[in-house]
Amino acid sequence: MAEDKPDPPDLPKTLLKPLERQSPDRLDDVSAYARELARWKRAERERELAEARERESITDDEETDLRERGISTDPQEYEGVATSGAYITIKETKPGYEYYYWQWREGDSWKNEYIAPVDPKSTID
C-alpha cells in the first residue's frame, strides 16, 4: 500500500513548488541546511538582544533611583511584561520628555510598557 504524500506546512508556493521537484537526497541537504540556518538565526537574535540590552539598559544608579522613588524594577509586578528578557530603558517620546519603559522581544517584534517619567516632576502625555 502506497504512503500518502505529507501535508505541506504553511509556506509560500514559491518555496513549496521548487521543493516538491527535488530528489530525496537534495531534500535531506535542504533540511539539514534549514535546521542549521534556524539555529544560527536564533543565536543571532539572542546576540542582537544582548547587545541591545547592554546598549539601552538603564544604569545601576538609575535603577536605584527608581527603587528609592518606590517604583518596582521587578518585571513580574507589571501586567503583560515578559518575566524573561525584559529590561528597563529610557525612551524620549518628544524632545525633553523622557520616560522609563520595560522593553523585550516577542517573536520578531519589540514590545514595551510604560513605567514612570525619568524626572518625577514630569507626567506622561
Side-chain angles (χ1 to χ4, degrees):
M1 184 168 166
E3 188 176 330
D4 291 338
K5 181 178 173 184
D7 290 330
D10 186 23
L11 296 172
K13 288 181 182 179
T14 56
L15 188 57
L16 281 175
K17 292 297 181 189
L19 284 174
E20 291 172 352
R21 291 191 298 266
Q22 302 304 312
S23 71
D25 289 341
R26 178 64 58 91
L27 288 172
D28 286 340
D29 291 343
V30 168
S31 175
Y33 172 71
R35 276 192 302 278
E36 282 301 305
L37 182 60
R39 183 202 56 75
W40 177 82
K41 283 188 168 211
R42 286 184 188 99
E44 187 70 7
R45 183 184 317 166
E46 288 301 315
R47 184 189 63 73
E48 289 171 358
L49 178 58
E51 286 178 359
R53 182 182 191 121
E54 179 69 26
R55 186 176 57 251
E56 299 172 2
S57 284
I58 61 172
T59 65
D60 291 343
D61 289 342
E62 290 167 325
E63 188 170 340
T64 299
D65 177 59
L66 278 172
R67 284 195 300 270
E68 288 174 352
R69 290 169 49 193
I71 299 168
S72 174
T73 58
D74 181 354
Q76 293 181 340
E77 294 185 17
Y78 292 81
E79 187 175 332
V81 173
T83 56
S84 175
Y87 60 92
I88 299 173
T89 187
I90 295 175
K91 302 248 182 222
E92 186 174 45
T93 58
K94 60 184 176 181
Y97 292 86
E98 292 181 322
Y99 300 96
Y100 291 110
Y101 280 86
W102 283 107
Q103 184 164 292
W104 67 97
R105 288 290 299 230
E106 205 170 273
D108 289 334
S109 61
W110 287 96
K111 301 290 182 176
N112 58 61
E113 181 71 31
Y114 171 78
I115 300 173
V118 171
D119 178 356
K121 298 174 195 133
S122 298
T123 59
I124 195 163
D125 298 326

